[in-house]
Amino acid sequence: MSNPQWTSGPVLSGRGLVKRYGGQYALAGIDIDIQPGDAVAIVGPSGSGKTSLLHVLAGILRADGGEIHLLGRRIDNLNEKKRSELRRTEFGFVFQSGMLVSELTAEENVALPSLLAGKGRRESVAAGREWLARLGLAGKETRRPGELSGGEAQRVAIARALTHRPKVIFADEPTGALDTRTGRETMQALLGAAQESGAAVIVVTHDRELAESMPKTVAIRDGLIATATGQKRLAV
C-alpha cells in the first residue's frame, strides 16, 4: 500500500480547547497540531485532561470552547450525525479492551467500519483479511475474540481501525490490559501499520516507557500542555 498524500499543514489541529465538568476544567485552553504521519503520546496523571483531549479531538465529546480542524475544515461545530459519520470514515479507534464484537469473527470485526459506511461485504472482508495478514494473523480470520489471545485481539482492533484508511488513529491505553512484552509488540504493530497507511496516531498512555519510545510526547497537567518533546511544529 502506498502512503496517501494529505494536504500540507496539520492533518488535525485544535485551538483554545476548553472542556468543563461542572466547575472543573478538564481542558483549560489547549492548542495542538497533529501533522500527517505523526505518532504522538499524550501523558499525564489521572485527571490531568489527557483522555478528555483525545475524546474532544476525536469528536466523541463536544468542546465547551475553541475550534478543531481536520485538514483545514472546521469539525467541532458539526451536529452529532455528522460527527458520527466523521468518526466512522476519517478516524480509527483502538481502546484498552479492544471492544471487539464477541459474536463476530476476526475478519467480520475488521470489516465492520466499512460495512457501516455502506461498502459491500465481499470488498470489506477482503480488505479486512489483508490487514489481518499484515498484522501477523493470517489463518485466524474466522476465530472469534474469545478464541484469541489478548495481543491477537488487540491486533484485530488495530486492523479494524486501519481498514477504512483513516487520517487519524486514536488509541486510548491500547496496551493497558497486556503484559509488557505483548504491549510492546502491539504498539510496534500499530505504529508500523499506521506509518504504512499514512495515518497519524495519537496515543493516551500511563506507560512512561512506552511514551518515551514514541517520536513525540505531550504532557498534560491541569488541563494544559506542560511540556512537549519532538514537537517542532506543535503549538504550545
Side-chain angles (χ1 to χ4, degrees):
M1 294 183 182
S2 59
N3 288 356
Q5 296 298 312
W6 314 129
T7 59
S8 60
V11 62
L12 185 67
S13 65
R15 290 292 178 271
L17 296 179
V18 172
K19 183 64 182 176
R20 292 184 296 269
Y21 297 101
Q24 299 294 318
Y25 280 87
L27 303 177
I30 282 182
D31 294 345
I32 187 168
D33 289 336
I34 305 299
Q35 305 295 336
D38 266 354
V40 182
I42 299 178
V43 299
S46 296
S48 61
K50 58 185 183 299
T51 298
S52 293
L53 177 59
L54 182 140
H55 287 175
V56 165
L57 288 173
I60 296 172
L61 294 176
R62 188 182 289 277
D64 295 313
E67 297 184 4
I68 302 168
H69 292 82
L70 177 68
L71 294 174
R73 173 195 176 199
R74 187 173 178 183
I75 62 172
D76 60 280
N77 57 356
L78 298 176
N79 61 35
E80 179 54 38
K81 181 179 179 181
K82 290 292 185 181
R83 287 190 294 133
S84 178
E85 180 181 347
L86 194 73
R87 293 193 298 269
R88 192 170 60 245
T89 59
E90 305 293 351
F91 297 152
F93 297 89
V94 181
F95 299 100
Q96 178 174 330
S97 62
M99 296 184 69
L100 301 178
V101 181
S102 60
E103 295 82 7
L104 299 182
T105 64
E107 64 185 23
E108 290 169 339
N109 267 285
V110 176
L112 195 56
S114 296
L115 292 170
L116 292 173
K119 293 185 179 179
R121 178 179 175 82
R122 181 177 298 180
E123 175 189 0
S124 299
V125 170
R129 287 175 179 166
E130 181 179 351
W131 273 112
L132 288 170
R134 288 174 179 271
L135 288 163
L137 294 175
K140 300 184 179 181
E141 297 89 348
T142 60
R143 294 191 182 184
R144 287 178 169 77
E147 301 172 308
L148 300 169
S149 69
E152 289 170 341
Q154 278 298 69
R155 287 174 184 250
V156 173
I158 292 168
R160 182 183 60 188
L162 285 160
T163 188
H164 57 294
R165 303 187 70 80
K167 295 177 177 61
V168 184
I169 296 171
F170 297 92
D172 192 356
E173 299 286 359
T175 64
L178 304 175
D179 62 77
T180 301
R181 179 179 177 181
T182 303
R184 296 294 176 267
E185 292 174 349
T186 300
M187 278 305 303
Q188 289 174 0
L190 171 58
L191 296 178
Q195 184 178 40
E196 184 178 354
S197 71
V201 180
I202 305 173
V203 178
V204 164
T205 182
H206 281 95
D207 187 334
R208 184 158 296 279
E209 185 178 338
L210 186 157
E212 290 175 351
S213 72
M214 294 184 64
K216 299 183 178 181
T217 302
V218 174
I220 304 292
R221 184 175 293 276
D222 298 328
L224 293 168
I225 293 178
T227 60
T229 61
Q231 302 283 339
K232 293 182 180 178
R233 291 184 289 176
L234 175 69
V236 290

